[in-house]
């Protein structure tokens, strides 16, 4: 692919006005986090929407708000409960940061979110673009968001060829994005503008097959004029997906109540599924077998159907191995951070997305 040179000014004129008009007439409306200036609600939705589709977020958003209606309720919750409600949404560091952030807002800001990008961006888990979204939606600050979708819209609009793997080029695009913000926003113009950027990137200026004929800024878009939409954004340092195989040891025993009990271990605070409960994970079948206690070796291990689980930069092949133990068995050599969990308790524990249906189906 030929590398286009970074765009030169002047910037497209009338961009902000065209976008605001289009958003009010054709943009997304009626999403559960729209129509409010409550920073708690906007913050919660923005964190959930990072790397996640709107349709996946909506039920989680409702459940969270019902259980934690304000920042005080979230700050006072246990980490287990927060992780359990987040379970299935992925990127679990977001959930832990969410709670740390709520605690900080309560302890150091008397329960009120800071009102500027600068103050918001100092809170855990709030990056520049999330801070900008909260500041624009809730406080009308003249500041641009710049997530992956908006980066795509703006690089195409201006045929901006700076390599987005490069910090200097990212900063240059950010500066241009700031110059496109409405100069004298009235009323809720900043809300419509910010929402318009999000909507355009999500529904019109899509990664493949952008709908340029329906685009409100079609006439001023440099990439459309030259037919080079597919060349933007320029990003050379794309990460290739890694493939890994994991063996899961599913240890089950019968509880006196008649229910199944599963052995689960809390994963470390870093890495994949950080902080969640999960059956013991091994990098190979040999590693799994060598961990089993001598007394358990004569128990029958059953290989269950393997599962493929997609993460952003990794594809995991999960091979579950089921081990049924007599009711009185203990696992003395297993990790101290493990516990037996009744099948009926699984709903209250933070479990990785593929693990919950796997255990429920056995
Ligand atoms: S005209 Fe096409 S490429 Fe340009 S901003 Fe609109 S949808 Fe994106």
């Amino acid at each position: 692919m030929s590398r286009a040179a970074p765009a030169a000014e002047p910037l497209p004129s009338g961009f902000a006005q065209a976008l605001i008009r289009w958003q009010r007439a054709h943009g997304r409306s009626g999403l559960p986090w729209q129509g409010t200036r409550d920073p708690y609600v906007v913050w919660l939705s923005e964190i959930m929407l990072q790397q996640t589709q709107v349709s996946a977020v909506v039920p989680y958003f409702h459940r969270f708000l019902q259980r934690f209606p304000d920042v005080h309720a979230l700050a006072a919750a246990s980490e287990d409960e927060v992780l359990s409600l987040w379970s299935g949404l992925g990127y679990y560091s977001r959930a832990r940061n969410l709670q740390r952030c709520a605690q900080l807002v309560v302890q150091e800001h008397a329960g009120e979110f800071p009102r500027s990008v600068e103050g918001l961006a100092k809170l855990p888990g709030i990056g520049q673009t999330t801070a900008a979204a909260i500041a624009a939606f809730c406080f009308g600050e003249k500041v641009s968001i710049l997530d992956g979708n908006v980066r795509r819209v703006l690089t195409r609009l201006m045929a901006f060829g700076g390599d987005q793997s490069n910090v200097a080029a990212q900063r240059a695009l950010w500066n241009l994005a700031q110059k496109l913000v409405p100069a004298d926003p009235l009323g809720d113009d900043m809300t419509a503008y910010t929402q318009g950027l999000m909507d355009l990137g999500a529904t019109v200026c899509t990664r493949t097959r952008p709908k340029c004929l329906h685009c409100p800024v079609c006439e001023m878009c440099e990439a459309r004029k030259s037919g080079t939409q597919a060349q933007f954004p320029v990003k050379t340092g794309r990460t290739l997906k890694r493939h890994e195989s994991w063996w899961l040891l599913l240890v089950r025993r019968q509880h006196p109540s008649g229910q199944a009990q599963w052995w689960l271990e809390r994963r470390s605070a870093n890495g994949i599924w950080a902080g969640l409960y999960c059956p013991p994970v091994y990098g190979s079948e040999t590693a799994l077998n060598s961990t089993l206690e001598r007394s358990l070796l004569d128990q029958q291990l059953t290989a269950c159907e393997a599962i493929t689980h997609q993460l952003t930069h990794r594809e995991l092949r999960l091979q579950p191995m089921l081990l049924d133990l007599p009711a009185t068995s203990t696992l003395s050599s297993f990790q101290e951070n493990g516990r037996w969990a009744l099948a009926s308790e699984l709903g209250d524990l933070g479990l990785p997305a593929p693990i919950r249906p796997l255990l429920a189906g056995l």
Side-chain angles (χ1 to χ4, degrees):
M1 185 185 76
S2 68
R3 295 262 301 273
E9 296 188 55
L11 295 166
S13 78
F15 172 75
Q17 292 72 16
L19 188 63
I20 289 171
R21 269 197 307 277
W22 173 80
Q23 201 289 324
R24 288 188 174 133
H26 304 289
R28 293 179 292 186
S29 61
L31 296 174
W33 43 84
Q34 288 179 314
T36 177
R37 288 181 177 250
D38 180 345
Y40 174 71
V41 174
V42 173
W43 164 69
L44 185 60
S45 67
E46 287 299 320
I47 300 290
M48 287 186 164
L49 287 164
Q50 289 168 4
Q51 320 265 0
T52 313
Q53 301 276 336
V54 165
S55 55
V57 165
V58 169
Y60 283 87
F61 177 80
H62 285 306
R63 275 201 294 274
F64 246 78
L65 260 196
Q66 195 173 21
R67 171 61 190 88
F68 309 121
D70 56 38
V71 72
H72 296 276
L74 180 54
S78 73
E79 184 180 290
D80 272 349
E81 192 180 5
V82 174
L83 285 173
S84 161
L85 275 178
W86 195 274
S87 184
L89 206 49
Y91 298 98
Y92 295 94
S93 58
R94 290 185 297 175
R96 281 191 305 280
N97 276 331
L98 198 73
Q99 203 192 14
R100 272 207 290 278
C101 180
Q103 288 165 347
L104 218 85
V105 168
V106 168
Q107 288 158 12
E108 296 186 12
H109 300 273
E112 300 287 336
F113 279 81
R115 297 176 66 87
S116 67
V117 169
E118 213 187 351
L120 288 161
K122 288 184 183 146
L123 294 171
I126 300 190
Q128 187 73 16
T129 205
T130 302
I134 301 168
F137 281 135
C138 304
F139 309 120
E141 188 170 337
K142 284 177 17 178
V143 63
S144 180
I145 55 167
L146 193 60
D147 61 9
N149 280 355
V150 178
R151 205 176 287 284
R152 185 171 60 246
V153 171
L154 297 187
T155 53
R156 286 174 175 172
L157 175 78
M158 298 180 282
F160 181 88
D163 182 355
Q164 292 300 295
S165 312
N166 173 308
V167 175
Q170 288 174 10
R171 201 171 302 127
L173 182 62
W174 191 284
N175 289 336
L176 291 171
Q178 272 303 103
K179 292 180 183 174
L180 290 171
V181 168
D184 299 302
L186 298 170
D188 67 350
D189 280 358
M190 276 311 299
T191 295
Y193 179 77
T194 307
Q195 188 67 52
L197 282 176
M198 292 176 172
D199 293 354
L200 196 62
T203 64
V204 177
C205 193
T206 43
R207 197 167 61 81
T208 54
R209 299 187 190 188
K211 303 169 189 70
C212 301
L213 289 177
H214 301 280
C215 178
V217 295
C218 175
E219 294 301 316
M220 58 187 89
C221 176
E222 296 298 331
R224 188 205 54 85
K225 286 179 200 167
S226 55
T228 54
Q229 295 94 322
Q231 292 186 20
F232 300 97
V234 174
K235 199 170 182 190
T236 56
R238 293 192 196 277
T239 318
L240 292 177
K241 249 192 189 189
R242 263 176 37 202
H243 296 260
E244 282 182 31
S245 293
W246 286 9
W247 273 257
L248 302 172
L249 180 58
L250 312 182
V251 189
R252 178 169 64 181
R253 74 177 186 188
Q254 201 77 10
H255 185 261
S257 66
Q259 276 195 66
Q261 272 187 311
W262 296 99
W263 178 258
L264 300 174
E265 293 176 354
R266 170 91 83 175
R267 291 185 56 82
S268 72
N270 297 307
I272 295 173
W273 301 339
L276 301 184
Y277 279 101
C278 186
V281 172
Y282 301 90
S284 69
E285 193 169 7
T286 313
L288 182 151
N289 283 326
S290 66
T291 310
L292 285 182
E293 295 161 58
R294 188 169 293 279
S295 60
L296 299 179
L297 281 176
D298 54 355
Q299 305 290 334
Q300 188 65 39
L301 263 180
T302 311
C304 307
E305 197 177 331
I307 303 165
T308 302
H309 183 60
Q310 304 290 345
L311 299 164
T312 308
H313 300 305
R314 255 182 263 209
E315 182 179 284
L316 297 181
R317 182 185 180 276
L318 303 172
Q319 176 57 66
M321 304 294 287
L322 178 63
L323 177 67
D324 269 313
L325 294 184
T328 52
S329 302
T330 55
L331 295 169
S332 55
S333 67
F334 276 47
Q335 289 193 34
E336 285 174 4
N337 60 357
R339 55 166 288 188
W340 288 104
L342 284 168
S344 59
E345 291 175 305
L346 297 180
D348 298 325
L349 291 176
L351 301 177
I355 300 301
R356 196 180 296 283
L358 174 65
L359 298 185
L362 288 170

